[in-house]
Amino acid sequence: MSYFDGFFDIPSDLQHSWLGLIGLHLREALLPVLAGLVIALPLGQLCVRLKWLYPPVLWVTTVLYAIPSLAFFVVLIDYTGMTELTVMIPLTVYSLVVLVPAIVDAVRSVPQETLAAATAMGFGPVRRYVQVQLPIAVPAIIAGLRVAVASSISLVSVGTLIGNQGALGNLLHDANIYNRPELAWNSVLTSAALAVVVDALLVGLRTLLTPWMPRARARRPRPEAVPAALEDAVR
Amino acid sequence: MNVLHYINAFFDNDANWSGYAGIPARLWEHVQYSLEALALATVIGLPIGLVTGHYGRGGNALAFVATAARALPTFGLLVLATMILGFGMLPVMIPLVVLAVPPILVTTYEAMRSVDPAPVDAARGMGMRETDILFRVELPVALALILGGIRSAAIQIVSTATIAAYVGLGGLGRFIIDGLYQHDYEKVVGGATLVAFMALATLGLFWAVARLAVSPGVRRSA
């Protein structure tokens, strides 16, 4: 297959091996989602507490989400230069758009009786949040993380347009200038594989974190339809 | 404010408002690309979602397809498709459709599954045919959520159609890509503003459509 000759011959101008690019890609894609989660957890809790805060937060994140990643990168160059940070800040913002509604809906969907029972057992607000609300919210939060991670891994590639900050996406640039389509194949296939592997790991994590849930995914979706709320967030 | 200054300068410049590379022309191109991609994605995703949702089968397979499609990098697909197929509309449509099908597919399926089974059983008991049940009972109830899925897809398409400019086509991405290479921030920020506004307009449009099309009886408070 001529297409795949030189599949792993990474041009030296990228200054990384294939594995090096993978590591770079994972760092640029996953750190922002982690940062998004760290911001979204308290923000989501705040939105549950203060109902009036939720609509404006949704609006602001939605407007930011509407900015194309490339334009976002370019505007940031002014402040952060052509660095990884320039790629990671927009990805953090994008992941907030998915994670905040996921967390708010998840925490809200915890039944009142459960909360009352926890209070009656003498749980304070903090302990109730960490030991009751958060574990029940885990499946929805992981569902949000899955969407956020997939889009983050896909978007890192665009960073190649702002001075080779695209990790595996940089292969696309090289594929163009050296006219080597196999490098473009490598970029697409490797990042797709990364997304699938990380997704599988997240599913595994959910299984580990929610030992009380049935293993087979035979459950009927609840009428509240968490996934719908999620896709809603991805606007 | 730096960014606001650029926005002002961009929209104040009369030269940006006319000609084949002016704002109206680019906006229209962007609308065309977006509508085309959304129509294709809806034609693919909606029927499959409706039928699988109605019979309640294949949910896992759908989830798998959606995950796989989400995993494909949009920008990478664009470059690859262009290298293989040459320049043109098709290599731009492929990544946009791949991007838009998962939200439509998954939301439609979930929306159909979340319809209360009691009225469906009642309709079946009254002797309605399966197609009637699908279109006259389940679809109206699920419509609000289904529209939400199509809306997510539309917003993502509008914001991503900017990459068409990277492979030589028009649209609002032209301002961003050209501005980037010319170190003309005014253009970049102006283009980004236009895309953001178009995304918001899409949001508004879907709100209006949902308002008109969704029966008041099943409208969700959220």
Side-chain angles (χ1 to χ4, degrees):
Chain A
M1 283 280 288
S2 66
Y3 255 141
F4 297 98
D5 286 347
F7 191 79
F8 293 109
D9 292 343
I10 311 294
S12 59
D13 62 313
L14 296 185
Q15 300 182 340
H16 276 287
S17 63
W18 183 60
L19 287 177
L21 286 177
I22 290 180
L24 199 62
H25 203 94
L26 283 178
R27 190 172 73 205
E28 281 188 50
L30 297 186
L31 278 183
V33 178
L34 199 64
L37 187 63
V38 168
I39 299 171
L41 277 175
L43 192 61
Q45 181 61 10
L46 212 59
C47 287
V48 173
R49 280 288 169 84
L50 311 170
K51 275 204 169 74
W52 57 266
L53 191 65
Y54 190 38
V57 166
L58 265 190
W59 267 101
V60 170
T61 47
T62 306
V63 171
L64 288 173
Y65 189 76
I67 302 174
S69 52
L70 177 57
F72 215 145
F73 295 160
V74 175
V75 172
L76 279 178
I77 289 178
D78 239 11
Y79 305 94
T80 48
M82 292 196 182
T83 60
E84 277 179 31
L85 197 60
T86 310
V87 174
M88 287 171 15
I89 291 172
L91 295 187
T92 304
V93 172
Y94 293 151
S95 65
L96 280 182
V97 187
V98 184
L99 290 176
V100 170
I103 289 168
V104 170
D105 290 339
V107 174
R108 268 189 193 162
S109 71
V110 178
Q112 277 304 319
E113 297 83 7
T114 311
L115 295 180
T119 311
M121 285 171 68
F123 279 36
V126 174
R127 202 169 154 216
R128 199 178 72 169
Y129 179 67
V130 175
Q131 293 192 352
V132 179
Q133 287 179 296
L134 217 46
I136 294 180
V138 160
I141 294 175
I142 300 261
L145 281 176
R146 292 176 66 184
V147 176
V149 163
S151 92
S152 194
I153 290 180
S154 159
L155 281 174
V156 165
S157 300
V158 182
T160 184
L161 290 176
I162 57 156
N164 274 1
Q165 295 301 333
L168 286 165
N170 295 348
L171 286 169
L172 297 167
H173 178 71
D174 277 14
N176 260 334
I177 57 174
Y178 301 134
N179 194 23
R180 288 178 57 190
E182 72 272 11
L183 294 181
W185 278 106
N186 186 333
S187 171
V188 170
L189 294 179
T190 309
S191 33
L194 278 188
V196 170
V197 169
V198 177
D199 192 69
L201 288 178
L202 281 173
V203 174
L205 184 69
R206 184 192 58 198
T207 314
L208 276 182
L209 287 178
T210 56
W212 61 88
M213 301 260 289
R215 288 298 153 97
R217 305 219 310 124
R219 67 190 173 86
R220 269 184 75 89
R222 283 166 300 156
E224 288 94 348
V226 176
L230 270 182
E231 291 292 356
D232 204 42
V234 195
R235 53 190 162 191
Chain B
M1 277 295 289
N2 229 342
V3 172
L4 286 182
H5 166 78
Y6 285 130
I7 293 177
N8 261 331
F10 180 78
F11 288 104
D12 270 352
N13 189 345
D14 286 337
N16 286 333
W17 284 98
S18 58
Y20 74 95
I23 293 172
R26 293 299 184 210
L27 202 60
W28 175 234
E29 282 170 344
H30 206 91
V31 170
Q32 280 178 312
Y33 299 163
S34 305
L35 281 180
E36 213 169 299
L38 186 65
L40 276 173
T42 310
V43 165
I44 297 170
L46 194 61
I48 301 179
L50 285 177
V51 171
T52 50
H54 174 73
Y55 291 108
R57 299 197 192 283
N60 286 339
L62 281 197
F64 177 76
V65 170
T67 307
R70 277 206 193 99
L72 289 168
T74 313
F75 181 63
L77 270 192
L78 174 78
V79 173
L80 191 58
T82 316
M83 289 192 95
I84 295 171
L85 301 169
F87 291 93
M89 222 35 229
L90 184 63
V92 173
M93 281 302 137
I94 292 172
L96 289 183
V97 170
V98 168
L99 177 78
V101 165
I104 296 178
L105 201 57
V106 172
T107 322
T108 307
Y109 177 83
E110 293 290 352
M112 293 293 280
R113 297 305 298 150
S114 68
V115 173
D116 185 355
V120 176
D121 288 345
R124 198 165 281 135
M126 284 166 63
M128 276 173 93
R129 285 176 306 157
E130 289 301 307
T131 42
D132 282 335
I133 294 176
L134 202 167
F135 287 109
R136 292 172 55 192
V137 181
E138 289 175 302
L139 187 59
V141 178
L143 190 60
L145 287 179
I146 293 175
L147 280 175
I150 300 179
R151 182 189 59 199
S152 326
I155 302 279
Q156 292 191 50
I157 286 176
V158 165
S159 147
T160 313
T162 43
I163 59 174
Y166 180 70
V167 291
L169 288 174
L172 295 173
R174 207 61 275 158
F175 294 120
I176 299 172
I177 301 266
D178 291 350
L180 179 64
Y181 286 121
Q182 297 160 1
H183 296 283
D184 182 352
Y185 275 8
E186 204 178 294
K187 242 185 203 172
V188 175
V189 176
T193 313
L194 283 169
V195 177
F197 267 111
M198 197 172 143
L200 289 182
T202 311
L203 212 60
L205 190 70
F206 271 91
W207 180 81
V209 169
R211 206 70 205 160
L212 289 174
V214 177
S215 153
V218 296
R219 199 170 285 157
R220 285 173 172 254
S221 53

